[in-house]
Amino acid sequence: MTPDSFIEYYYGTYKTIDLHGLTKEDAKATLIYELGLVDANIDCVVIIHGFHGGNVLKNLVRKEFKHSLVKDKVVLDAARTIFLLKKLN
């Protein structure tokens, strides 16, 4: 099973947001903006935050960031986190 089909099989339709190279402030703004664009058919968002350049973005995504659409967070691997989304009406 490829990584993409694994995510779809277990978590449903997804969108990917890549935060590599962003500052903490830009990453937070990007998350807020991209979550605002999510369609009702998207079940989760895969956040690529990386981990080799430090833990600032990983900590933002996994511990600090809160949003009304995010129901739960799942650690996919060291560089990616999945946001499980609440269903839009």
Side-chain angles (χ1 to χ4, degrees):
M1 182 178 292
T2 66
D4 292 341
S5 62
F6 170 85
I7 293 168
E8 281 196 4
Y9 180 80
Y10 284 102
Y11 301 109
T13 305
Y14 69 95
K15 172 181 181 165
T16 301
I17 301 173
D18 190 346
L19 303 178
H20 274 110
L22 299 180
T23 64
K24 181 178 178 178
E25 294 77 21
D26 287 343
K28 184 175 180 179
T30 298
L31 288 171
I32 292 167
Y33 176 76
E34 292 292 337
L35 285 170
L37 297 177
V38 169
D39 294 331
N41 65 329
I42 301 294
D43 299 306
C44 65
V45 177
V46 177
I47 310 297
I48 303 170
H49 46 71
F51 69 99
H52 284 296
N55 293 322
V56 173
L57 295 180
K58 182 172 80 171
N59 288 339
L60 169 68
V61 169
R62 292 186 179 174
K63 297 176 182 176
E64 300 170 24
F65 186 78
K66 307 278 190 256
H67 193 281
S68 60
L69 286 179
V70 179
K71 176 173 56 175
D72 202 4
K73 298 176 184 179
V74 176
V75 175
L76 187 59
D77 55 35
R80 298 179 297 168
T81 301
I82 297 175
F83 287 176
L84 302 179
L85 303 178
K86 296 175 185 172
K87 281 294 175 195
L88 298 172
N89 295 331

